[in-house]
Amino acid sequence: KNQVEQSPQSLIILEGKNCTLQCNYTVSPFSNLRWYKQDTGRGPVSLTIMTFSENTKSNGRYTATLDADTKQSSLHITASQLSDSASYICVVSLTYGQNFVFGPGTRLSVLP
Amino acid sequence: NAGVTQTPKFRVLKTGQSMTLLCAQDMNHEYMYWYRQDPGMGLRLIHYSVGEGTTAKGEVPDGYNVSRLKKQNFLLGLESAAPSQTSVYFCASSYSRQGNSPLHFGNGTRLTVT
């Protein structure tokens, strides 16, 4: 069964600290892996997209890594800000059909 | 540039009532999707469209119908609402399905069925 798992379920950090969110997937055949940020009451917004051949991609203070061999990805947030408080969703795309497999998200709270 | 706009933002229905959710995008995207988001679960695909006049079933299509008469609009209908359809519904669009084409989401419709 195609599945995306994320850990931790929730995380609380202090402003200015770094953090890393994890994503494990059992999706095949794999096309690409995406990270989205979802603010409360809003729709998800794309942060990064990585194909099979890419093992890291950055978007400002956000850096995503991909290990296609172990089927793991991580999202590292550097020097966190209050505005980083949101849910972060890992999404894996298959090479066929219209299916994107969404993880349940990690809820990040950044406190002052 | 509005992106993806969903209406209404909130709605409360009684069991058995019907309603239509409207999604409009101004990015000339071919692909449009309807998802539902429930607590503790990832977004699940209800129906999708690969172009004007086309629709197809996703992972959880039962109890829903869709139409895409115009390229910019994608409508989601509930003919006879059930409490199990209480959820947050998101519409999304994309230029293509693969490569570096991200999904662009609306801000959702929160639906409660009593």
Side-chain angles (χ1 to χ4, degrees):
Chain A
K1 179 182 178 182
N2 290 319
Q3 206 163 359
V4 175
E5 298 178 341
Q6 293 186 243
S7 61
Q9 185 175 1
S10 61
L11 181 63
I12 301 174
I13 62 173
L14 294 177
E15 186 178 14
K17 299 296 185 182
N18 303 334
C19 68
T20 300
L21 313 181
Q22 301 290 342
C23 172
N24 297 331
Y25 61 93
T26 55
V27 175
S28 181
F30 173 91
S31 175
N32 58 64
L33 187 144
R34 305 155 180 236
W35 283 94
Y36 285 81
K37 177 187 180 187
Q38 184 177 20
D39 292 318
T40 300
R42 311 277 289 185
V45 174
S46 179
L47 292 176
T48 63
I49 301 175
M50 290 182 290
T51 61
F52 184 88
S53 60
E54 297 174 298
N55 55 23
T56 187
K57 182 163 281 189
S58 292
N59 179 357
R61 295 180 295 102
Y62 301 100
T63 300
T65 64
L66 173 63
D67 185 334
D69 291 332
T70 62
K71 298 187 176 181
Q72 295 180 326
S73 176
S74 65
L75 180 68
H76 186 74
I77 303 175
T78 304
S80 61
Q81 300 176 358
L82 298 179
S83 60
D84 292 330
S85 294
S87 288
Y88 291 85
I89 302 172
C90 176
V91 185
V92 180
S93 172
L94 285 77
T95 58
Y96 64 88
Q98 295 298 324
N99 214 356
F100 298 93
V101 184
F102 287 76
T106 291
R107 178 69 199 176
L108 174 66
S109 298
V110 180
L111 303 181
Chain B
N1 190 340
V4 178
T5 303
Q6 291 184 235
T7 53
K9 290 183 171 58
F10 303 94
R11 186 72 186 267
V12 178
L13 288 179
K14 293 184 177 180
T15 298
Q17 288 184 320
S18 63
M19 76 164 295
T20 300
L21 284 67
L22 173 63
C23 175
Q25 53 96 2
D26 62 2
M27 296 171 283
N28 202 35
H29 286 169
E30 290 290 342
Y31 297 81
M32 296 188 75
Y33 311 82
W34 275 107
Y35 289 93
R36 61 178 289 172
Q37 186 175 41
D38 299 296
M41 301 179 68
L43 276 79
R44 293 181 292 168
L45 182 64
I46 303 171
H47 286 281
Y48 65 94
S49 169
V50 300
E52 181 178 313
T54 75
T55 63
K57 295 181 179 179
E59 180 186 356
V60 289
D62 293 342
Y64 306 95
N65 57 75
V66 288
S67 65
R68 183 128 182 244
L69 299 179
K70 293 184 178 181
K71 185 177 183 178
Q72 64 267 35
N73 296 336
F74 196 28
L75 278 65
L76 177 70
L78 286 73
E79 292 184 346
S80 180
S84 60
Q85 294 178 304
T86 293
S87 187
V88 182
Y89 292 86
F90 287 98
C91 176
S93 70
S94 65
Y95 175 73
S96 71
R97 201 195 80 78
Q98 291 297 346
N100 292 326
S101 180
L103 291 169
H104 296 263
F105 286 87
N107 284 325
T109 295
R110 184 174 294 275
L111 174 66
T112 301
V113 182
T114 61

PDB file of all heavy atoms in Angstrom, chain A residues 23-51:
ATOM      1  N   CYS A  23      10.185  12.414   6.946  1.00  0.00           N
ATOM      2  CA  CYS A  23       9.161  11.824   6.082  1.00  0.00           C
ATOM      3  C   CYS A  23       9.675  10.479   5.569  1.00  0.00           C
ATOM      4  O   CYS A  23      10.770  10.416   5.011  1.00  0.00           O
ATOM      5  CB  CYS A  23       8.860  12.767   4.921  1.00  0.00           C
ATOM      6  SG  CYS A  23       7.781  12.095   3.636  1.00  0.00           S
ATOM      7  N   ASN A  24       8.927   9.430   5.788  1.00  0.00           N
ATOM      8  CA  ASN A  24       9.244   8.106   5.242  1.00  0.00           C
ATOM      9  C   ASN A  24       8.115   7.691   4.315  1.00  0.00           C
ATOM     10  O   ASN A  24       6.937   7.911   4.632  1.00  0.00           O
ATOM     11  CB  ASN A  24       9.380   7.067   6.365  1.00  0.00           C
ATOM     12  CG  ASN A  24      10.529   7.396   7.294  1.00  0.00           C
ATOM     13  OD1 ASN A  24      11.514   7.998   6.897  1.00  0.00           O
ATOM     14  ND2 ASN A  24      10.392   7.006   8.556  1.00  0.00           N
ATOM     15  N   TYR A  25       8.453   7.087   3.206  1.00  0.00           N
ATOM     16  CA  TYR A  25       7.402   6.726   2.266  1.00  0.00           C
ATOM     17  C   TYR A  25       7.589   5.317   1.720  1.00  0.00           C
ATOM     18  O   TYR A  25       8.699   4.787   1.653  1.00  0.00           O
ATOM     19  CB  TYR A  25       7.334   7.729   1.105  1.00  0.00           C
ATOM     20  CG  TYR A  25       8.582   7.826   0.259  1.00  0.00           C
ATOM     21  CD1 TYR A  25       8.738   7.057  -0.897  1.00  0.00           C
ATOM     22  CD2 TYR A  25       9.613   8.699   0.605  1.00  0.00           C
ATOM     23  CE1 TYR A  25       9.876   7.149  -1.667  1.00  0.00           C
ATOM     24  CE2 TYR A  25      10.751   8.792  -0.171  1.00  0.00           C
ATOM     25  CZ  TYR A  25      10.882   8.028  -1.297  1.00  0.00           C
ATOM     26  OH  TYR A  25      12.020   8.112  -2.070  1.00  0.00           O
ATOM     27  N   THR A  26       6.481   4.718   1.396  1.00  0.00           N
ATOM     28  CA  THR A  26       6.475   3.414   0.714  1.00  0.00           C
ATOM     29  C   THR A  26       5.581   3.590  -0.502  1.00  0.00           C
ATOM     30  O   THR A  26       4.460   3.061  -0.544  1.00  0.00           O
ATOM     31  CB  THR A  26       5.945   2.300   1.628  1.00  0.00           C
ATOM     32  OG1 THR A  26       4.648   2.684   2.122  1.00  0.00           O
ATOM     33  CG2 THR A  26       6.867   2.055   2.793  1.00  0.00           C
ATOM     34  N   VAL A  27       6.056   4.390  -1.442  1.00  0.00           N
ATOM     35  CA  VAL A  27       5.301   4.727  -2.642  1.00  0.00           C
ATOM     36  C   VAL A  27       6.079   4.246  -3.857  1.00  0.00           C
ATOM     37  O   VAL A  27       7.259   4.522  -3.991  1.00  0.00           O
ATOM     38  CB  VAL A  27       5.051   6.244  -2.742  1.00  0.00           C
ATOM     39  CG1 VAL A  27       4.376   6.587  -4.059  1.00  0.00           C
ATOM     40  CG2 VAL A  27       4.222   6.730  -1.568  1.00  0.00           C
ATOM     41  N   SER A  28       5.393   3.560  -4.740  1.00  0.00           N
ATOM     42  CA  SER A  28       6.040   3.068  -5.947  1.00  0.00           C
ATOM     43  C   SER A  28       5.022   2.991  -7.079  1.00  0.00           C
ATOM     44  O   SER A  28       3.874   2.590  -6.848  1.00  0.00           O
ATOM     45  CB  SER A  28       6.633   1.677  -5.684  1.00  0.00           C
ATOM     46  OG  SER A  28       7.273   1.192  -6.834  1.00  0.00           O
ATOM     47  N   PRO A  29       5.406   3.333  -8.296  1.00  0.00           N
ATOM     48  CA  PRO A  29       6.689   3.889  -8.704  1.00  0.00           C
ATOM     49  C   PRO A  29       6.788   5.385  -8.407  1.00  0.00           C
ATOM     50  O   PRO A  29       5.889   6.147  -8.698  1.00  0.00           O
ATOM     51  CB  PRO A  29       6.688   3.637 -10.219  1.00  0.00           C
ATOM     52  CG  PRO A  29       5.229   3.650 -10.591  1.00  0.00           C
ATOM     53  CD  PRO A  29       4.493   3.092  -9.423  1.00  0.00           C
ATOM     54  N   PHE A  30       7.930   5.766  -7.858  1.00  0.00           N
ATOM     55  CA  PHE A  30       8.166   7.129  -7.372  1.00  0.00           C
ATOM     56  C   PHE A  30       8.448   8.078  -8.519  1.00  0.00           C
ATOM     57  O   PHE A  30       9.183   7.748  -9.451  1.00  0.00           O
ATOM     58  CB  PHE A  30       9.357   7.076  -6.416  1.00  0.00           C
ATOM     59  CG  PHE A  30       9.842   8.416  -5.938  1.00  0.00           C
ATOM     60  CD1 PHE A  30       9.336   8.971  -4.782  1.00  0.00           C
ATOM     61  CD2 PHE A  30      10.819   9.110  -6.646  1.00  0.00           C
ATOM     62  CE1 PHE A  30       9.794  10.201  -4.333  1.00  0.00           C
ATOM     63  CE2 PHE A  30      11.279  10.333  -6.214  1.00  0.00           C
ATOM     64  CZ  PHE A  30      10.769  10.883  -5.051  1.00  0.00           C
ATOM     65  N   SER A  31       7.857   9.267  -8.460  1.00  0.00           N
ATOM     66  CA  SER A  31       8.146  10.305  -9.438  1.00  0.00           C
ATOM     67  C   SER A  31       8.875  11.474  -8.792  1.00  0.00           C
ATOM     68  O   SER A  31       9.972  11.826  -9.221  1.00  0.00           O
ATOM     69  CB  SER A  31       6.858  10.812 -10.097  1.00  0.00           C
ATOM     70  OG  SER A  31       7.155  11.890 -10.964  1.00  0.00           O
ATOM     71  N   ASN A  32       8.259  12.081  -7.798  1.00  0.00           N
ATOM     72  CA  ASN A  32       8.926  13.177  -7.084  1.00  0.00           C
ATOM     73  C   ASN A  32       8.361  13.312  -5.683  1.00  0.00           C
ATOM     74  O   ASN A  32       7.332  12.718  -5.350  1.00  0.00           O
ATOM     75  CB  ASN A  32       8.826  14.506  -7.849  1.00  0.00           C
ATOM     76  CG  ASN A  32       7.397  14.910  -8.117  1.00  0.00           C
ATOM     77  OD1 ASN A  32       6.637  15.166  -7.198  1.00  0.00           O
ATOM     78  ND2 ASN A  32       7.018  14.965  -9.387  1.00  0.00           N
ATOM     79  N   LEU A  33       9.077  14.055  -4.851  1.00  0.00           N
ATOM     80  CA  LEU A  33       8.665  14.287  -3.470  1.00  0.00           C
ATOM     81  C   LEU A  33       8.580  15.788  -3.226  1.00  0.00           C
ATOM     82  O   LEU A  33       9.480  16.539  -3.615  1.00  0.00           O
ATOM     83  CB  LEU A  33       9.653  13.633  -2.495  1.00  0.00           C
ATOM     84  CG  LEU A  33       9.245  13.673  -1.010  1.00  0.00           C
ATOM     85  CD1 LEU A  33       9.673  12.383  -0.307  1.00  0.00           C
ATOM     86  CD2 LEU A  33       9.795  14.886  -0.296  1.00  0.00           C
ATOM     87  N   ARG A  34       7.510  16.178  -2.582  1.00  0.00           N
ATOM     88  CA  ARG A  34       7.232  17.600  -2.365  1.00  0.00           C
ATOM     89  C   ARG A  34       7.016  17.875  -0.888  1.00  0.00           C
ATOM     90  O   ARG A  34       6.472  17.034  -0.175  1.00  0.00           O
ATOM     91  CB  ARG A  34       5.979  17.997  -3.145  1.00  0.00           C
ATOM     92  CG  ARG A  34       6.057  17.658  -4.632  1.00  0.00           C
ATOM     93  CD  ARG A  34       4.685  17.485  -5.267  1.00  0.00           C
ATOM     94  NE  ARG A  34       4.827  17.162  -6.700  1.00  0.00           N
ATOM     95  CZ  ARG A  34       4.266  17.859  -7.658  1.00  0.00           C
ATOM     96  NH1 ARG A  34       3.511  18.893  -7.375  1.00  0.00           N
ATOM     97  NH2 ARG A  34       4.433  17.513  -8.920  1.00  0.00           N
ATOM     98  N   TRP A  35       7.392  19.047  -0.467  1.00  0.00           N
ATOM     99  CA  TRP A  35       7.066  19.550   0.868  1.00  0.00           C
ATOM    100  C   TRP A  35       6.183  20.782   0.709  1.00  0.00           C
ATOM    101  O   TRP A  35       6.471  21.673  -0.110  1.00  0.00           O
ATOM    102  CB  TRP A  35       8.327  19.917   1.649  1.00  0.00           C
ATOM    103  CG  TRP A  35       9.063  18.738   2.204  1.00  0.00           C
ATOM    104  CD1 TRP A  35      10.101  18.058   1.634  1.00  0.00           C
ATOM    105  CD2 TRP A  35       8.828  18.109   3.471  1.00  0.00           C
ATOM    106  NE1 TRP A  35      10.522  17.045   2.460  1.00  0.00           N
ATOM    107  CE2 TRP A  35       9.758  17.050   3.588  1.00  0.00           C
ATOM    108  CE3 TRP A  35       7.928  18.324   4.517  1.00  0.00           C
ATOM    109  CZ2 TRP A  35       9.820  16.211   4.716  1.00  0.00           C
ATOM    110  CZ3 TRP A  35       7.988  17.500   5.630  1.00  0.00           C
ATOM    111  CH2 TRP A  35       8.924  16.467   5.726  1.00  0.00           C
ATOM    112  N   TYR A  36       5.120  20.806   1.514  1.00  0.00           N
ATOM    113  CA  TYR A  36       4.205  21.935   1.526  1.00  0.00           C
ATOM    114  C   TYR A  36       4.100  22.488   2.947  1.00  0.00           C
ATOM    115  O   TYR A  36       4.205  21.750   3.922  1.00  0.00           O
ATOM    116  CB  TYR A  36       2.800  21.515   1.060  1.00  0.00           C
ATOM    117  CG  TYR A  36       2.674  21.301  -0.428  1.00  0.00           C
ATOM    118  CD1 TYR A  36       3.091  20.110  -1.013  1.00  0.00           C
ATOM    119  CD2 TYR A  36       2.130  22.281  -1.249  1.00  0.00           C
ATOM    120  CE1 TYR A  36       2.977  19.912  -2.377  1.00  0.00           C
ATOM    121  CE2 TYR A  36       2.007  22.090  -2.623  1.00  0.00           C
ATOM    122  CZ  TYR A  36       2.431  20.902  -3.178  1.00  0.00           C
ATOM    123  OH  TYR A  36       2.330  20.714  -4.529  1.00  0.00           O
ATOM    124  N   LYS A  37       3.839  23.791   3.033  1.00  0.00           N
ATOM    125  CA  LYS A  37       3.570  24.456   4.308  1.00  0.00           C
ATOM    126  C   LYS A  37       2.101  24.860   4.323  1.00  0.00           C
ATOM    127  O   LYS A  37       1.614  25.449   3.356  1.00  0.00           O
ATOM    128  CB  LYS A  37       4.448  25.704   4.462  1.00  0.00           C
ATOM    129  CG  LYS A  37       4.178  26.496   5.723  1.00  0.00           C
ATOM    130  CD  LYS A  37       4.962  27.804   5.731  1.00  0.00           C
ATOM    131  CE  LYS A  37       4.680  28.599   7.003  1.00  0.00           C
ATOM    132  NZ  LYS A  37       5.293  29.947   6.961  1.00  0.00           N
ATOM    133  N   GLN A  38       1.415  24.509   5.426  1.00  0.00           N
ATOM    134  CA  GLN A  38       0.006  24.867   5.540  1.00  0.00           C
ATOM    135  C   GLN A  38      -0.221  25.676   6.810  1.00  0.00           C
ATOM    136  O   GLN A  38      -0.169  25.131   7.921  1.00  0.00           O
ATOM    137  CB  GLN A  38      -0.893  23.630   5.536  1.00  0.00           C
ATOM    138  CG  GLN A  38      -2.378  23.960   5.554  1.00  0.00           C
ATOM    139  CD  GLN A  38      -3.272  22.740   5.467  1.00  0.00           C
ATOM    140  OE1 GLN A  38      -2.863  21.621   5.740  1.00  0.00           O
ATOM    141  NE2 GLN A  38      -4.521  22.958   5.049  1.00  0.00           N
ATOM    142  N   ASP A  39      -0.487  26.966   6.651  1.00  0.00           N
ATOM    143  CA  ASP A  39      -0.852  27.809   7.781  1.00  0.00           C
ATOM    144  C   ASP A  39      -2.281  27.479   8.205  1.00  0.00           C
ATOM    145  O   ASP A  39      -3.104  27.039   7.398  1.00  0.00           O
ATOM    146  CB  ASP A  39      -0.748  29.286   7.410  1.00  0.00           C
ATOM    147  CG  ASP A  39       0.681  29.723   7.168  1.00  0.00           C
ATOM    148  OD1 ASP A  39       1.563  29.315   7.934  1.00  0.00           O
ATOM    149  OD2 ASP A  39       0.935  30.463   6.196  1.00  0.00           O
ATOM    150  N   THR A  40      -2.585  27.724   9.468  1.00  0.00           N
ATOM    151  CA  THR A  40      -3.922  27.438   9.993  1.00  0.00           C
ATOM    152  C   THR A  40      -4.987  28.179   9.196  1.00  0.00           C
ATOM    153  O   THR A  40      -4.888  29.380   8.965  1.00  0.00           O
ATOM    154  CB  THR A  40      -3.996  27.846  11.474  1.00  0.00           C
ATOM    155  OG1 THR A  40      -3.021  27.114  12.212  1.00  0.00           O
ATOM    156  CG2 THR A  40      -5.374  27.549  12.033  1.00  0.00           C
ATOM    157  N   GLY A  41      -5.993  27.433   8.741  1.00  0.00           N
ATOM    158  CA  GLY A  41      -7.090  28.051   8.008  1.00  0.00           C
ATOM    159  C   GLY A  41      -6.784  28.388   6.561  1.00  0.00           C
ATOM    160  O   GLY A  41      -7.579  29.076   5.904  1.00  0.00           O
ATOM    161  N   ARG A  42      -5.643  27.932   6.067  1.00  0.00           N
ATOM    162  CA  ARG A  42      -5.242  28.235   4.688  1.00  0.00           C
ATOM    163  C   ARG A  42      -4.948  26.935   3.937  1.00  0.00           C
ATOM    164  O   ARG A  42      -4.854  25.858   4.518  1.00  0.00           O
ATOM    165  CB  ARG A  42      -3.994  29.113   4.684  1.00  0.00           C
ATOM    166  CG  ARG A  42      -4.052  30.313   5.599  1.00  0.00           C
ATOM    167  CD  ARG A  42      -4.770  31.479   4.984  1.00  0.00           C
ATOM    168  NE  ARG A  42      -3.983  32.089   3.917  1.00  0.00           N
ATOM    169  CZ  ARG A  42      -4.354  33.196   3.274  1.00  0.00           C
ATOM    170  NH1 ARG A  42      -5.487  33.789   3.575  1.00  0.00           N
ATOM    171  NH2 ARG A  42      -3.602  33.696   2.335  1.00  0.00           N
ATOM    172  N   GLY A  43      -4.805  27.049   2.631  1.00  0.00           N
ATOM    173  CA  GLY A  43      -4.409  25.899   1.842  1.00  0.00           C
ATOM    174  C   GLY A  43      -2.907  25.704   1.861  1.00  0.00           C
ATOM    175  O   GLY A  43      -2.151  26.634   2.154  1.00  0.00           O
ATOM    176  N   PRO A  44      -2.434  24.484   1.547  1.00  0.00           N
ATOM    177  CA  PRO A  44      -0.993  24.226   1.502  1.00  0.00           C
ATOM    178  C   PRO A  44      -0.312  25.051   0.417  1.00  0.00           C
ATOM    179  O   PRO A  44      -0.894  25.315  -0.634  1.00  0.00           O
ATOM    180  CB  PRO A  44      -0.914  22.729   1.186  1.00  0.00           C
ATOM    181  CG  PRO A  44      -2.246  22.171   1.587  1.00  0.00           C
ATOM    182  CD  PRO A  44      -3.228  23.273   1.316  1.00  0.00           C
ATOM    183  N   VAL A  45       0.931  25.425   0.701  1.00  0.00           N
ATOM    184  CA  VAL A  45       1.746  26.185  -0.251  1.00  0.00           C
ATOM    185  C   VAL A  45       3.044  25.423  -0.489  1.00  0.00           C
ATOM    186  O   VAL A  45       3.681  24.963   0.462  1.00  0.00           O
ATOM    187  CB  VAL A  45       2.057  27.595   0.286  1.00  0.00           C
ATOM    188  CG1 VAL A  45       3.018  28.323  -0.646  1.00  0.00           C
ATOM    189  CG2 VAL A  45       0.774  28.400   0.456  1.00  0.00           C
ATOM    190  N   SER A  46       3.434  25.285  -1.752  1.00  0.00           N
ATOM    191  CA  SER A  46       4.614  24.501  -2.103  1.00  0.00           C
ATOM    192  C   SER A  46       5.904  25.135  -1.596  1.00  0.00           C
ATOM    193  O   SER A  46       6.115  26.337  -1.739  1.00  0.00           O
ATOM    194  CB  SER A  46       4.695  24.347  -3.627  1.00  0.00           C
ATOM    195  OG  SER A  46       5.825  23.615  -3.999  1.00  0.00           O
ATOM    196  N   LEU A  47       6.765  24.304  -0.986  1.00  0.00           N
ATOM    197  CA  LEU A  47       8.096  24.745  -0.546  1.00  0.00           C
ATOM    198  C   LEU A  47       9.177  24.218  -1.487  1.00  0.00           C
ATOM    199  O   LEU A  47      10.033  24.971  -1.948  1.00  0.00           O
ATOM    200  CB  LEU A  47       8.383  24.251   0.876  1.00  0.00           C
ATOM    201  CG  LEU A  47       7.556  24.850   2.014  1.00  0.00           C
ATOM    202  CD1 LEU A  47       7.914  24.165   3.329  1.00  0.00           C
ATOM    203  CD2 LEU A  47       7.785  26.351   2.106  1.00  0.00           C
ATOM    204  N   THR A  48       9.186  22.904  -1.720  1.00  0.00           N
ATOM    205  CA  THR A  48      10.204  22.300  -2.575  1.00  0.00           C
ATOM    206  C   THR A  48       9.607  21.122  -3.338  1.00  0.00           C
ATOM    207  O   THR A  48       8.632  20.513  -2.908  1.00  0.00           O
ATOM    208  CB  THR A  48      11.401  21.759  -1.760  1.00  0.00           C
ATOM    209  OG1 THR A  48      10.940  20.721  -0.888  1.00  0.00           O
ATOM    210  CG2 THR A  48      12.080  22.842  -0.949  1.00  0.00           C
ATOM    211  N   ILE A  49      10.212  20.815  -4.473  1.00  0.00           N
ATOM    212  CA  ILE A  49       9.898  19.605  -5.247  1.00  0.00           C
ATOM    213  C   ILE A  49      11.219  18.959  -5.620  1.00  0.00           C
ATOM    214  O   ILE A  49      12.106  19.636  -6.162  1.00  0.00           O
ATOM    215  CB  ILE A  49       9.098  19.924  -6.520  1.00  0.00           C
ATOM    216  CG1 ILE A  49       7.784  20.615  -6.190  1.00  0.00           C
ATOM    217  CG2 ILE A  49       8.825  18.644  -7.316  1.00  0.00           C
ATOM    218  CD1 ILE A  49       7.001  21.054  -7.421  1.00  0.00           C
ATOM    219  N   MET A  50      11.378  17.662  -5.330  1.00  0.00           N
ATOM    220  CA  MET A  50      12.619  16.952  -5.665  1.00  0.00           C
ATOM    221  C   MET A  50      12.305  15.710  -6.476  1.00  0.00           C
ATOM    222  O   MET A  50      11.410  14.930  -6.120  1.00  0.00           O
ATOM    223  CB  MET A  50      13.366  16.542  -4.390  1.00  0.00           C
ATOM    224  CG  MET A  50      13.970  17.710  -3.631  1.00  0.00           C
ATOM    225  SD  MET A  50      14.874  17.141  -2.183  1.00  0.00           S
ATOM    226  CE  MET A  50      13.494  16.606  -1.172  1.00  0.00           C
ATOM    227  N   THR A  51      13.031  15.535  -7.560  1.00  0.00           N
ATOM    228  CA  THR A  51      12.892  14.326  -8.357  1.00  0.00           C
ATOM    229  C   THR A  51      13.853  13.259  -7.835  1.00  0.00           C
ATOM    230  O   THR A  51      14.643  13.507  -6.923  1.00  0.00           O
ATOM    231  CB  THR A  51      13.195  14.609  -9.830  1.00  0.00           C
ATOM    232  OG1 THR A  51      14.549  15.082  -9.939  1.00  0.00           O
ATOM    233  CG2 THR A  51      12.255  15.668 -10.383  1.00  0.00           C
TER     234      THR A  51
END
